[in-house]
Amino acid sequence: MNLLGQAIDWIIQNPEEFNRALGQHLLMSITAIVFALAIGLPLAVLILRHGSMAAAAINSVNGLRTLPSLAILAIMMPILGIGLWPSIVALTILALPPILINAYIGLRDVDADVIEAATGMGMSERQILRKIRIPLAAPAMFAGLRTASVQVLAGATLAPFIGGGGLGDFIAVGIAGMDQARLLVGAVPIALLALGTEFLLGQTERLLFGERRAA
Amino acid sequence: MITMKNVTKRFDGTGAAAVDDLSLDIPDGITVALVGPSGCGKTTTMRMINRLIEPTSGTILVSGRDVRAADAVELRRHIGYVIQQVGLFPHMTIAQNIASVPRLLGWDAGRIRARSSELMQLVGLEQSMLERYPRQLSGGQRQRVGVARALAADPPVLLMDEPFGAIDPIARTRLQNEFRQILKRVKKTVVMVTHDIDEAVRLGDRIAIMRDGRIVQYDTPETILSRPADGFVENFVGADRALKRLTLFSTGSIMTPGTGDASLPRVDKDGDLRDALSAIVAARSTAAAVVDEEGKMIGTITQAAILAV
Ligand SMILES: Nc1ncnc2c1ncn2[C@@H]1O[C@H](COP(=O)(O)OP(=O)(O)OP(=O)(O)O)[C@@H](O)[C@H]1O
Ligand SMILES: [Mg+2]
C-alpha cells in the first residue's frame, strides 16, 4: 500500500513524464491494432477465396504467435533499428494472429445452408460476402479485436527494449534502479488499461451482438 | 414451361451418372413432385434448373429460354428456391429476409413493404412477426417465411427441396395441406423434391418417380397409385397404395346428397375417402353420414361407393 502511495505521488509530481509515456503507450498500441486490422481483415477475405492460401497463411501466422513478444522485438531491432516504429511493427505482428484467424474462421464457418439459400436466390459472390458473410462473422472479428487489444497493450510493456518508450519505461527504470514504486508507476496503469479494455470491448460486444445470440 | 432434354450429370471422379439422360416436361402452373430413394438424383435434377449445378450434357429450358444462355445469378432471381434447412439469414429480421430478392431487383421500399405484408398473410403468419429474428420463430413458422421469401418477387417458378423434412410429423401434414392451398392460389410452376410418397401424393399434380438418375414413371398421383409402371414403383408407393389413392378424393365429391341417418358414424365432407372408409370400418357399418362445417348432415356415403371409386 505504501509502495502504491509512493507510485501515485510520483505520478502527481511528474505529470508530464507520466502523460507522455501513457500517450506513447496508447499511440503505439492503437496504431498497431489499426495496422493489424487493415492487414488482417482484407487478408482473411483474400484467403477465404483461395482455399490453398488459407492453410499457408494461417500456419505462418500461427507460427508467429508461438514466438514470445520479446523475441519479436529482438528480431525487429536489427531490421528496423530502434524507436517507436519498430515497436509498432512488432506489436502489429503480435496483433495479427488473433485478428486474422478469428476473421477467417468467422467468414468461413457461416452456416452452409445460409450460403446455399443466398446463392440460390441470386446473390453474387460479392453480395454474399458483403451482406451475409461479413455481418455474420462480425462477432468473431470483434472477439479477435478484443484479444489482440489486450495482448498489444500488455505487449507494449516490452517496447523500451528497443527504445519504443511507453509505460514500460517505468518498469525498465524500476527494475534497473531496484525502485519498486517506479515499477508500479508503469505496471499498475498497464494492468488497468488491459483490464479496462477487455471489459469495455466485452460490453460493446454484448451491446452490438447480444440480441442475435439471445432467444 | 420447364423442359429438360436428355440431361446428364456426372460429377467429377465418379463412375455412374447422378442424373442419366433424363427428359421431363413440366407444364405451366402445376406442381411436380420428384420422388425416389436417397441418392437417386432428385436434388441434382432440381439444382440444375437454377444452375446451382451445371449439367454435363443436355438442355434445360425455363419459359422457353435455355438456362445456359442466361447469367446464372440473374436467372436465380427469377426462380424461387426453398431448402429443407430453410437457410434464413439469422442477422436479418423476417421483413429483411423476405425483402432479399426484391432488394436485389431494386424495388422501392413502399412496394417491398406492401408485398411483405401480402406474403405474411398468404403463408398465414402475423404481421407483427416481420420485426422478429429467425431465432424467435418455430421451425414451422421459419419454413413459412422461407416460402414467403422465395415467392417475394413473384417468380413464375418455385423450386423446393424437401421443404417439410425438418418439421415434426403432425405439424408437417397440416403445413402440407396449407401449402397445397397456397400453391393453388399463386399458380406457380413448382418442382418439389421429396422422398416421402405421401407428401408427393398430397402436393403433386404430377409425380416423377426416380431411380438411379432416371425417371421410371411420370404421371398423376391417381395413375401412379392405381397403375404403377413396374415392380419398383409398386414397391416404392407401398402396399397400401389403394388406400393412399382414396386420399385423393373428398368425401363430399362421392356422397349421395340427402338428410342422412343419425345412427351412422359421421364424416366430414372435406375429409378424404380413406378417413371415411376408416370411420365406416371402425363402426362396423356399411355407410356413414356426411356433415358440413357446422355439423349439419348433408348426405350419405356408402362403403360400396368408396370401393367403386
Ligand atoms: N457435389 C457432388 N459431388 C459428387 N457426387 C455428388 C455430388 N452431389 C451429389 N452427388 C451424388 O449424386 C447422386 C445423387 O445425389 P442427389 O443429392 O441428387 O440425391 P437425392 O436423390 O437428392 O438424395 P437424398 O434423398 O438423399 O437427398 C448421389 O450418388 C450423390 O452421392
Ligand atoms: Mg436431396
Side-chain angles (χ1 to χ4, degrees), chain B residues 7-9 11 16-22 33-46 48 161-162 192-196 208-217 232 236:
Chain B
V7 175
T8 295
K9 175 65 190 181
F11 286 102
V19 172
D20 190 6
D21 196 31
L22 177 144
L34 295 178
V35 252
S38 186
C40 69
K42 308 179 290 288
T43 297
T44 305
T45 301
M46 198 187 80
M48 286 191 287
D161 195 348
E162 312 232 8
M192 187 186 72
V193 163
T194 172
H195 55 252
D196 175 2
I209 302 217
M210 291 186 65
R211 178 191 194 183
D212 300 337
R214 295 163 179 270
I215 290 177
V216 286
Q217 188 170 8
F232 171 79
F236 187 80

XYZ file of all heavy atoms in Angstrom, chain B residues 7-9 11 16-22 33-46 48 161-162 192-196 208-217 232 236:
335
model
N -30.888 -34.736 -70.229
C -29.938 -34.125 -69.295
C -29.171 -35.206 -68.524
O -29.762 -36.117 -67.958
C -30.672 -33.199 -68.302
C -29.704 -32.667 -67.258
C -31.345 -32.054 -69.055
N -27.863 -35.077 -68.547
C -26.994 -35.994 -67.810
C -26.072 -35.194 -66.912
O -25.574 -34.141 -67.313
C -26.153 -36.847 -68.790
O -27.040 -37.692 -69.537
C -25.143 -37.714 -68.052
N -25.885 -35.669 -65.692
C -24.887 -35.057 -64.826
C -23.973 -36.137 -64.267
O -24.418 -37.106 -63.667
C -25.560 -34.325 -63.658
C -24.579 -33.774 -62.645
C -23.702 -32.673 -63.248
C -22.550 -32.299 -62.311
N -21.724 -31.214 -62.883
N -20.710 -36.266 -61.850
C -19.810 -35.486 -61.002
C -18.372 -35.930 -61.251
O -18.140 -37.100 -61.566
C -20.164 -35.666 -59.527
C -21.414 -34.940 -59.133
C -22.613 -35.610 -58.969
C -21.396 -33.557 -58.954
C -23.770 -34.925 -58.609
C -22.552 -32.872 -58.589
C -23.738 -33.559 -58.428
N -20.745 -43.756 -62.073
C -22.113 -43.700 -62.575
C -22.609 -42.256 -62.641
O -22.172 -41.401 -61.869
C -23.022 -44.525 -61.672
N -23.526 -41.979 -63.590
C -24.099 -40.643 -63.688
C -25.107 -40.443 -62.566
O -25.897 -41.329 -62.260
C -24.778 -40.479 -65.047
N -25.072 -39.256 -61.939
C -26.037 -38.945 -60.880
C -27.416 -38.722 -61.481
O -28.436 -39.080 -60.903
C -25.593 -37.709 -60.106
N -27.412 -38.097 -62.674
C -28.642 -37.953 -63.452
C -28.306 -38.455 -64.845
O -27.293 -38.072 -65.422
C -29.119 -36.483 -63.496
C -30.280 -36.324 -64.451
C -29.516 -36.011 -62.094
N -29.147 -39.350 -65.351
C -28.765 -40.117 -66.524
C -29.763 -39.942 -67.667
O -30.833 -40.546 -67.659
C -28.672 -41.589 -66.078
C -28.055 -42.469 -67.146
O -27.603 -41.924 -68.177
O -28.027 -43.693 -66.946
N -29.428 -39.086 -68.625
C -30.227 -38.917 -69.833
C -31.705 -38.692 -69.496
O -32.587 -39.347 -70.036
C -30.062 -40.151 -70.737
C -30.545 -39.868 -72.163
O -30.436 -38.711 -72.590
O -31.035 -40.811 -72.815
N -31.927 -37.735 -68.625
C -33.279 -37.506 -68.122
C -34.016 -36.460 -68.959
O -33.464 -35.408 -69.275
C -33.181 -37.065 -66.655
C -34.458 -36.696 -65.904
C -34.328 -37.167 -64.455
C -34.723 -35.206 -65.917
N -43.832 -33.336 -58.182
C -43.042 -33.863 -57.077
C -42.036 -34.863 -57.623
O -42.417 -35.804 -58.318
C -43.957 -34.530 -56.058
N -40.758 -34.612 -57.365
C -39.724 -35.592 -57.719
C -39.521 -36.479 -56.493
O -39.146 -35.996 -55.441
C -38.392 -34.901 -58.033
C -38.297 -33.986 -59.251
C -36.893 -33.380 -59.327
C -38.579 -34.777 -60.521
N -39.809 -37.773 -56.662
C -39.652 -38.681 -55.520
C -38.756 -39.838 -55.895
O -38.653 -40.217 -57.053
C -40.986 -39.322 -55.056
C -41.447 -38.749 -53.759
C -42.038 -39.271 -56.107
N -38.188 -40.449 -54.880
C -37.356 -41.615 -55.112
C -36.472 -41.836 -53.910
O -36.373 -40.971 -53.044
N -35.798 -42.984 -53.888
C -34.949 -43.290 -52.735
C -33.748 -42.342 -52.650
O -33.421 -41.659 -53.620
C -34.498 -44.729 -52.997
C -34.775 -44.995 -54.438
C -35.853 -44.074 -54.867
N -33.131 -42.305 -51.500
C -31.983 -41.443 -51.271
C -30.881 -41.707 -52.304
O -30.592 -42.848 -52.626
C -31.444 -41.692 -49.859
O -30.435 -40.780 -49.584
N -30.336 -40.635 -52.851
C -29.231 -40.762 -53.787
C -29.650 -41.018 -55.222
O -28.799 -41.237 -56.089
N -30.953 -40.971 -55.520
C -31.400 -41.285 -56.876
C -31.237 -40.098 -57.818
O -31.459 -40.225 -59.021
C -32.852 -41.776 -56.870
S -34.021 -40.475 -56.451
N -30.880 -38.924 -57.290
C -30.612 -37.783 -58.176
C -31.668 -36.692 -58.175
O -31.662 -35.818 -59.043
N -32.550 -36.691 -57.201
C -33.621 -35.682 -57.156
C -33.066 -34.273 -56.999
O -33.405 -33.363 -57.755
C -34.570 -35.966 -55.964
C -35.102 -37.376 -55.910
C -36.007 -37.581 -54.706
C -35.273 -37.579 -53.364
N -34.451 -38.775 -53.128
N -32.230 -34.109 -55.970
C -31.687 -32.779 -55.698
C -30.839 -32.297 -56.868
O -30.927 -31.142 -57.285
C -30.857 -32.814 -54.396
O -31.731 -33.157 -53.325
C -30.217 -31.476 -54.108
N -30.034 -33.198 -57.405
C -29.192 -32.830 -58.537
C -30.050 -32.353 -59.703
O -29.771 -31.329 -60.327
C -28.327 -34.046 -58.965
O -27.596 -34.493 -57.822
C -27.379 -33.682 -60.086
N -31.127 -33.081 -59.985
C -32.031 -32.697 -61.072
C -32.570 -31.288 -60.834
O -32.531 -30.418 -61.723
C -33.209 -33.700 -61.156
O -32.676 -35.001 -61.380
C -34.175 -33.329 -62.284
N -33.025 -31.044 -59.603
C -33.617 -29.743 -59.308
C -32.604 -28.617 -59.374
O -32.877 -27.548 -59.908
C -34.265 -29.793 -57.924
C -35.236 -28.676 -57.732
S -35.832 -28.624 -56.060
C -34.474 -27.817 -55.329
N -30.077 -28.321 -61.129
C -29.632 -27.961 -62.477
C -30.562 -26.922 -63.099
O -30.167 -26.182 -63.993
C -29.518 -29.207 -63.362
C -28.289 -30.048 -63.014
S -27.932 -31.339 -64.209
C -29.234 -32.507 -63.861
N -36.736 -28.092 -52.122
C -36.043 -29.341 -51.809
C -36.413 -29.794 -50.397
O -35.979 -29.199 -49.430
C -34.522 -29.144 -51.929
C -33.782 -30.476 -51.986
O -34.416 -31.523 -51.706
O -32.586 -30.474 -52.311
N -37.213 -30.825 -50.294
C -37.667 -31.360 -49.013
C -38.110 -30.250 -48.058
O -37.583 -30.142 -46.942
C -36.543 -32.169 -48.358
C -35.908 -33.133 -49.324
C -35.849 -34.559 -48.809
O -36.434 -34.845 -47.746
O -35.248 -35.392 -49.500
N -40.897 -29.890 -56.703
C -40.671 -30.186 -55.301
C -39.989 -31.535 -55.153
O -40.409 -32.511 -55.769
C -42.022 -30.216 -54.582
C -41.899 -30.344 -53.109
S -43.506 -30.547 -52.355
C -43.871 -32.193 -52.851
N -38.917 -31.562 -54.373
C -38.209 -32.815 -54.143
C -38.629 -33.384 -52.798
O -38.733 -32.659 -51.815
C -36.685 -32.572 -54.147
C -35.943 -33.737 -53.516
C -36.184 -32.330 -55.563
N -38.905 -34.678 -52.781
C -39.218 -35.325 -51.503
C -38.885 -36.806 -51.618
O -38.781 -37.349 -52.714
C -40.706 -35.141 -51.135
O -40.997 -35.933 -49.996
C -41.627 -35.537 -52.265
N -38.660 -37.457 -50.475
C -38.553 -38.908 -50.579
C -39.786 -39.566 -49.966
O -39.850 -40.766 -49.815
C -37.255 -39.426 -49.948
C -37.071 -38.995 -48.535
N -36.134 -38.051 -48.179
C -37.717 -39.339 -47.416
C -36.230 -37.850 -46.882
N -37.179 -38.610 -46.390
N -40.780 -38.706 -49.655
C -41.981 -39.171 -48.983
C -43.128 -39.231 -49.994
O -43.619 -38.209 -50.466
C -42.285 -38.187 -47.842
C -43.589 -38.503 -47.134
O -44.244 -39.503 -47.500
O -43.941 -37.735 -46.224
N -43.040 -37.515 -60.441
C -41.995 -38.177 -61.222
C -41.230 -39.078 -60.263
O -40.632 -38.602 -59.301
C -41.056 -37.152 -61.852
N -41.307 -40.389 -60.509
C -40.597 -41.316 -59.634
C -39.227 -41.607 -60.227
O -39.121 -41.981 -61.401
C -41.410 -42.611 -59.444
C -42.775 -42.223 -58.858
C -40.633 -43.613 -58.581
C -43.358 -43.150 -57.870
N -38.187 -41.366 -59.450
C -36.823 -41.526 -59.954
C -36.134 -42.727 -59.336
O -36.399 -43.120 -58.205
C -35.993 -40.267 -59.651
C -36.425 -39.054 -60.446
S -35.298 -37.655 -60.191
C -33.782 -38.295 -60.927
N -35.240 -43.275 -60.124
C -34.395 -44.369 -59.649
C -33.086 -44.306 -60.414
O -33.094 -44.242 -61.645
C -35.102 -45.695 -59.930
C -34.279 -46.886 -59.514
C -34.900 -48.157 -60.069
N -34.317 -49.307 -59.401
C -34.613 -50.560 -59.717
N -35.509 -50.807 -60.652
N -34.031 -51.546 -59.090
N -31.980 -44.303 -59.700
C -30.645 -44.285 -60.312
C -30.499 -43.224 -61.410
O -30.009 -43.515 -62.502
C -30.294 -45.652 -60.901
C -30.288 -46.734 -59.825
O -30.121 -46.374 -58.635
O -30.471 -47.917 -60.178
N -30.957 -42.026 -61.140
C -30.742 -40.944 -62.098
C -31.706 -40.909 -63.268
O -31.542 -40.103 -64.177
N -32.679 -41.806 -63.262
C -33.664 -41.806 -64.354
C -35.070 -41.679 -63.793
O -35.311 -42.011 -62.642
C -33.604 -43.127 -65.143
C -32.314 -43.346 -65.882
C -32.205 -44.826 -66.251
N -30.979 -45.063 -66.995
C -30.904 -44.994 -68.323
N -31.984 -44.728 -69.044
N -29.759 -45.196 -68.930
N -35.985 -41.250 -64.681
C -37.384 -41.211 -64.276
C -38.041 -42.508 -64.713
O -37.994 -42.867 -65.887
C -38.096 -39.996 -64.902
C -37.561 -38.723 -64.249
C -39.613 -40.096 -64.714
C -38.135 -37.460 -64.815
N -38.625 -43.242 -63.751
C -39.256 -44.504 -64.125
C -40.743 -44.347 -64.405
O -41.323 -45.128 -65.148
C -39.010 -45.624 -63.091
C -37.592 -46.134 -63.189
C -39.296 -45.151 -61.685
N -41.363 -43.347 -63.797
C -42.761 -43.069 -64.131
C -43.059 -41.606 -63.847
O -42.654 -41.066 -62.818
C -43.718 -43.968 -63.317
C -45.171 -43.854 -63.784
C -46.092 -44.915 -63.165
O -45.693 -45.658 -62.272
N -47.329 -44.981 -63.663
N -40.721 -51.742 -59.251
C -40.029 -50.770 -58.413
C -40.997 -49.706 -57.910
O -41.041 -49.394 -56.719
C -38.877 -50.117 -59.195
C -38.251 -48.960 -58.464
C -37.344 -49.170 -57.445
C -38.601 -47.640 -58.789
C -36.784 -48.111 -56.757
C -38.053 -46.575 -58.103
C -37.141 -46.812 -57.085
N -42.272 -48.967 -54.254
C -41.970 -47.654 -53.672
C -43.215 -46.969 -53.123
O -43.178 -46.360 -52.058
C -41.284 -46.757 -54.710
C -40.791 -45.469 -54.124
C -39.592 -45.425 -53.422
C -41.534 -44.304 -54.243
C -39.154 -44.250 -52.844
C -41.096 -43.124 -53.666
C -39.895 -43.103 -52.969
